[in-house]
Amino acid sequence: MSNKSYIKRYFLILFILFALSIAYVCNFTKNYPAPITNRISFDAKLKFIRDKINPKDIDTIIVGSSIGMNNVLGSVLEKNSKVVKHAINLSVYEATALEVEQLLELRGAFPNLKRIIYSAQYSDFPHPWRYKDYHPDILREYITHKLSYYRSAKLLFKACNNLVFCYKRAKNWKIKYQQKDKFTSLIFDDSASVPLYIFRQDKVGGRWYLPHPGIMSQKSFDAVGRIAKNAQKEGVKFYLAHQPYRPELYKKHKSVRDAVAYFDNKISKILTKYPNSYLIKLQNLPLNNTQYADRTHLNIKGATIVTKEISKFIDSKEQNKHYIK
């Protein structure tokens, strides 16, 4: 074979491989969340908003960790509240308070935002972790379709430069993330909340009967203060919904009762500085084991009850001629 023929075949092979890579990436990003961040639940939220949400419609953002993802159902909130029209759940599994603060840097993508609901439990507050390599300006433009075609393609191809990783994500998507009775579920309702269909306590092991330690970082509370301060400046209502711990554990363990009281006390002191901010205490709701997926996560039954209560609270603070639908 001549050198010229060899070079032609070499470049032809490279072109074919490149074309196949492009085709795979396009197919992957159409059907699965591209690994733009380091959390698949975050990636799935970005894809959901970009594909299905008009950011101009959104007046309410729900944030938190899985306590936000599972325990506050945006679809139920919209149905039951007289002031909430369209909600989006931006919660990300395992998000710390400082990461929630980072998630809220995306709020600029929603020009008609009126309120923020931070769904939390004291167990979310021990670690002052933050997202690394986080670029909210790019993500805002991505979910609002303001990135140019070239920049969008560059973002997605950079995210999918590890084709093996993308292949594994696609392979695990239905098995791990599209099962409504798993804690890893990413089956969204219309607001990107994730109702859990977990009703058997014998399947969750220690998550059912072992309480969290009452460890909370001051940096986490400081993040809440900054969130409330920024919301006040922007004329946005801020609600921190302190989710209920499973009643049997709450009653049995003084450490849990003390941690819940400490959390409420700290949050109350922070929010009293900001007239637009409110603490919603949910521990005393009449819930039972049938409404819990584990010690702090509610299944769809419990989440519906809690979300309705949050709806009532919000309406009691906001319902007037300015807010009525």
Side-chain angles (χ1 to χ4, degrees):
M1 183 185 300
S2 66
N3 289 339
K4 187 175 181 179
S5 297
Y6 175 82
I7 292 172
K8 283 183 178 180
R9 291 191 179 184
Y10 174 76
F11 280 106
L12 177 61
I13 292 171
L14 287 181
F15 175 79
I16 292 172
L17 291 175
F18 181 68
L20 289 173
S21 297
I22 291 176
Y24 178 80
V25 170
C26 290
N27 181 71
F28 176 87
T29 55
K30 180 180 178 181
N31 295 289
Y32 307 101
I36 296 172
T37 72
N38 64 352
R39 301 285 179 85
I40 188 171
S41 55
F42 197 1
D43 295 332
K45 289 294 176 79
L46 296 174
K47 176 175 171 55
F48 181 88
I49 296 171
R50 180 177 169 84
D51 292 349
K52 299 185 178 182
I53 297 296
N54 181 352
K56 292 181 181 179
D57 291 340
I58 300 300
D59 58 32
T60 303
I61 291 177
I62 303 161
V63 287
S65 63
S66 52
I67 298 295
M69 185 96 80
N70 305 139
N71 288 20
V72 182
L73 305 180
S75 55
V76 175
L77 189 68
E78 293 171 357
K79 183 177 180 180
N80 288 273
S81 171
K82 293 180 173 61
V83 300
V84 176
K85 296 179 181 179
H86 298 286
I88 186 68
N89 194 321
L90 278 179
S91 302
V92 173
Y93 284 145
E94 300 179 348
T96 67
L98 280 81
E99 289 169 340
V100 165
E101 184 181 18
Q102 289 178 290
L103 290 174
L104 285 171
E105 292 180 48
L106 299 180
R107 68 186 180 278
F110 309 100
N112 297 310
L113 183 66
K114 293 181 179 178
R115 65 194 64 81
I116 296 166
I117 303 169
Y118 183 5
S119 173
Q121 181 51 265
Y122 76 82
S123 54
D124 291 325
F125 275 52
H127 305 296
W129 297 333
R130 294 178 63 85
Y131 294 127
K132 297 179 180 179
D133 195 27
Y134 180 65
H135 305 286
D137 51 340
I138 295 176
L139 298 182
R140 283 195 299 268
E141 292 187 12
Y142 175 70
I143 61 178
T144 55
H145 298 270
K146 292 181 179 179
L147 279 182
S148 66
Y149 179 80
Y150 170 76
R151 293 178 68 199
S152 293
K154 182 179 179 181
L155 177 66
L156 294 176
F157 276 97
K158 181 181 178 181
C160 296
N161 60 4
N162 186 339
L163 294 180
V164 174
F165 179 88
C166 290
Y167 171 76
K168 289 181 178 178
R169 173 170 286 193
K171 184 179 180 181
N172 292 329
W173 180 246
K174 288 186 178 181
I175 299 172
K176 189 173 183 180
Y177 303 107
Q178 294 295 289
Q179 304 292 328
K180 62 183 180 180
D181 60 348
K182 291 184 180 293
F183 287 104
T184 53
S185 173
L186 290 175
I187 301 177
F188 297 148
D189 68 7
D190 291 339
S191 70
S193 296
V194 179
L196 290 179
Y197 290 79
I198 299 175
F199 305 106
R200 291 184 58 186
Q201 55 189 264
D202 59 331
K203 283 189 172 184
V204 300
R207 295 179 64 142
W208 184 258
Y209 58 83
L210 294 178
H212 293 94
I215 301 171
M216 289 166 261
S217 168
Q218 180 58 43
K219 291 182 179 179
S220 297
F221 291 109
D222 292 341
V224 172
R226 291 191 295 271
I227 293 170
K229 182 178 180 179
N230 288 330
Q232 184 72 30
K233 286 181 180 179
E234 297 169 9
V236 173
K237 301 284 187 184
F238 175 58
Y239 299 91
L240 193 146
H242 190 184
Q243 293 291 335
Y245 219 91
R246 189 167 70 81
E248 287 183 5
L249 283 179
Y250 178 80
K251 294 173 183 177
K252 181 178 180 180
H253 296 280
K254 183 177 181 298
S255 62
V256 173
R257 297 194 299 275
D258 289 346
V260 169
Y262 178 82
F263 183 92
D264 284 341
N265 183 55
K266 292 282 287 186
I267 295 296
S268 294
K269 287 182 177 179
I270 292 169
L271 299 190
T272 52
K273 302 175 185 177
Y274 308 104
N276 273 8
S277 297
Y278 308 92
L279 171 62
I280 309 176
K281 299 180 182 179
L282 298 164
Q283 185 60 51
N284 292 327
L285 285 178
L287 299 173
N288 58 56
N289 287 342
T290 66
Q291 294 144 352
Y292 278 82
D294 68 5
R295 57 202 164 193
T296 54
H297 294 86
L298 299 163
N299 58 36
I300 188 171
K301 294 179 180 178
T304 298
I305 293 170
V306 163
T307 303
K308 287 181 177 179
E309 187 67 21
I310 293 172
S311 300
K312 291 179 185 178
F313 187 96
I314 291 174
D315 286 355
S316 73
K317 299 300 179 184
E318 298 186 25
Q319 192 178 357
N320 55 45
K321 63 181 181 181
H322 178 71
Y323 285 98
I324 291 177
K325 295 179 181 177

